[in-house]
Amino acid sequence: MTLVRALDRFFRHDAAGGVLLMAAALLALIVANSGLSDGYHALLLKKFSILLDGEGLSKPLILWINDGLMAVFFFLIGLELKREMLEGKLKSPSDVMLPGMAALGGMVAPALVYLVLNWTDPVTRGGWAIPAATDIAFAVGVLALLGKRVPAALKIFLLTLAILDDLGAILIIALFYTKDLHLDYLFLALAPLAGLYLLNRAGAHRIAPFVLLGTVLWVLVLKSGVHATLAGVVTAFFVPLKDKYGKSPLHGLEHALSPYVLFLIVPVFAFANAGVVLKGLTFSDLFAPLPLGIAAGLVIGKQAGVFGMTWLIVKAGWARLPYAVTWAHIYGLACLAGIGFTMSLFIGGLSFDDQAHMNAVRLGVLAGSAISALIGYSVLLFNAKPVETKEPHPAPAIHN
């Protein structure tokens, strides 16, 4: 019973998702460099097929994870985005201004750092978006380890920044990672889209029809050449916030899905994608343009982009720092934003399809994310102290 209570406390902790993610990545690193390495890679390349009269889907397990399971991950992101836009942190433009601009800076600066180091190589240059993303679970998990010693407003700022960062990553995938477009499948995808629209308009209460139509949409989008995970985001935006009975299918689905995504899908993705093969690598390999560009983008680019843009917006008088948040807190948060992990590995997989480049991607992502986590945690720990969780007086309005 004591063990059950301990596990329950662990899974309820904000850092649980980040801890499991780290454990899955570490396990992948160990397995990929042990006697199980050949079996590990062979398993990921095993083909799994769903066919009807010879037609259907036949893909290696790694692609079922990256295209299939991650569609569920993006479906959850879509649900969170819709909820935040309608009733949460993204509802008020004034609340979005500062973290939104920080997120923009935190995407542009890492991409520029990467491009500076990879511009002369037309192959690796295509990976410019890899260091532009922030891993919500990891970043929030590290921040959660500090508990109430950092302002509550800092966690809200980080969550808003990371959500907007995910929105930016979704747009990047849609615009820059679509290959061999097949318009006939996109045309067919209009049918499930129309069904989702009608369900939304009718305020449908049951989730099953949304899941069924979303699955059909996923198959057609996958066949079209557009990355299939985007079907998850699109489906999520059709789930009603309120149904015809006044209940919230969106809230219910988000609440039910979150544990499976956080504690199963994301760790499985990490285990399948974080297995850096260290055999034959030397310390100098980390300084090759591809891994160095990713690591420097996450560590230097994120810090410069997030902190620099926040400083500019505040000093220009367009926004102000949240209550009890200092510039040291913002710098620590900017470092945590450099934990790219899940999204960076995902975009890396879209950028390169050969093992040599992917091994370099994994090396850069793991190194950059680990350094960012250590710096961010150290900065926030050094400046940590018990803080009030509520603002004592209403904040004065900002006038331009």
Side-chain angles (χ1 to χ4, degrees), residues 48 62 75 97 157-158 188 201 213 239 285-286 335 338 345:
F48 180 74
I62 182 68
F75 178 66
M97 164 68 83
F157 189 98
L158 177 60
L188 291 173
R201 290 283 294 177
L213 288 173
V239 177
D285 289 319
L286 182 59
C335 296
L345 287 173

Side-chain angles (χ1 to χ4, degrees), residues 10 26 133 141 145 164 186 188 215 291 350 356 378 384 387:
F10 169 76
L26 182 60
L145 294 175
L164 291 168
L186 280 183
L188 291 173
T215 303
L350 300 180
S378 300
V387 295

Side-chain angles (χ1 to χ4, degrees), residues 252-276:
L253 189 55
E254 183 184 355
H255 180 74
L257 199 58
S258 290
Y260 294 99
V261 171
L262 194 60
F263 301 132
L264 178 62
I265 289 176
V266 173
V268 167
F269 172 84
F271 178 73
N273 287 274
V276 180

